[in-house]
Amino acid sequence: MARNPQNTWWHRNHFRCWNYPELPTKKELIYRVFRAAYPYGAFVGDDLKLVELRDKDVVWRRLEAEFDKAYKDLGLFLQSFFAEEPRLRPLPKQLLVRDYFMALLSESRYALYVSQNGRYFEFRCMEELLVRYRQTNIQTWAKEGNQHRFQPPPIGGFIFAKEHLDVTRGSEMTAILWKLRHMD
């Protein structure tokens, strides 16, 4: 039985790429993974109140399960995305967008893996920093290179989270975005 293309993990978690060529960012994906696994917050809620104390290994397993669902549904999501977006008709663009999403998943998963592999505070800071970014500017909080009104305090966990949320110059995502912009 064929699955409904509107019922993928990506659609359920509100990834609508209507503003192409703006594609989802690491910040947005990690936030959506946290909210898919814990709608009211794994460590902090959207109101920045601490939620119940959770074991970080249990949290990591649930986040990892969400990443697995995202990987599984990516093909169907991209199929519907390509059908809806006329600017992505040439096959080379479609392949680059698919590679971008694969790199996005890989780099986001790695950033969360590294943060959960450290201290509990670093893992919690990842979610808290995303919530704080989102509160300061709901429209542009997830854009890369966006200067946020909220500057994290110079505490190890926040600095660590900020470094892993930002896309680095030599990353695969940056290279793919550069190629996509030069194809248009």
Side-chain angles (χ1 to χ4, degrees), residues 73-83 94 97-99 101:
D73 286 354
L74 183 61
L76 196 55
F77 169 72
L78 288 177
Q79 196 175 39
S80 68
F81 177 43
F82 296 150
Q94 290 180 0
V97 169
R98 184 200 54 156
D99 291 347
F101 275 93

Side-chain angles (χ1 to χ4, degrees), residues 15-53:
F15 280 93
R16 309 270 191 259
C17 300
W18 290 329
N19 296 333
Y20 177 80
E22 290 181 23
L23 293 169
T25 61
K26 264 175 39 173
K27 293 173 191 170
E28 184 178 4
L29 179 61
I30 292 172
Y31 176 80
R32 301 283 184 203
V33 166
F34 267 114
R35 288 301 170 262
Y38 294 97
Y40 301 107
F43 304 109
V44 294
D46 283 336
D47 56 0
L48 285 173
K49 291 183 181 174
L50 293 175
V51 297
E52 65 184 79
L53 190 60

Side-chain angles (χ1 to χ4, degrees), residues 35 79 85 89 98 110 117 119 121 123-124 131 142 151 162 169:
R35 288 301 170 262
Q79 196 175 39
E85 181 54 59
R89 293 290 186 250
R98 184 200 54 156
Y110 179 74
N117 218 11
R119 298 183 320 239
F121 181 66
F123 196 26
R124 194 198 88 200
V131 171
Q151 291 300 318
K162 184 178 181 330
R169 279 192 106 154

Side-chain angles (χ1 to χ4, degrees), residues 37-112:
Y38 294 97
Y40 301 107
F43 304 109
V44 294
D46 283 336
D47 56 0
L48 285 173
K49 291 183 181 174
L50 293 175
V51 297
E52 65 184 79
L53 190 60
R54 292 186 167 93
D55 183 289
K56 76 175 189 173
D57 294 329
V58 172
V59 171
W60 170 244
R61 281 194 298 275
R62 283 185 71 175
L63 295 176
E64 201 172 29
E66 291 300 325
F67 273 111
D68 291 342
K69 291 176 192 173
Y71 272 113
K72 187 178 126 224
D73 286 354
L74 183 61
L76 196 55
F77 169 72
L78 288 177
Q79 196 175 39
S80 68
F81 177 43
F82 296 150
E84 293 170 7
E85 181 54 59
R87 292 178 285 182
L88 287 173
R89 293 290 186 250
L91 185 62
K93 274 189 183 178
Q94 290 180 0
L95 293 175
L96 279 175
V97 169
R98 184 200 54 156
D99 291 347
Y100 174 81
F101 275 93
M102 293 300 288
L104 173 68
L105 280 166
S106 172
E107 289 183 25
S108 299
R109 185 182 206 141
Y110 179 74
L112 268 176

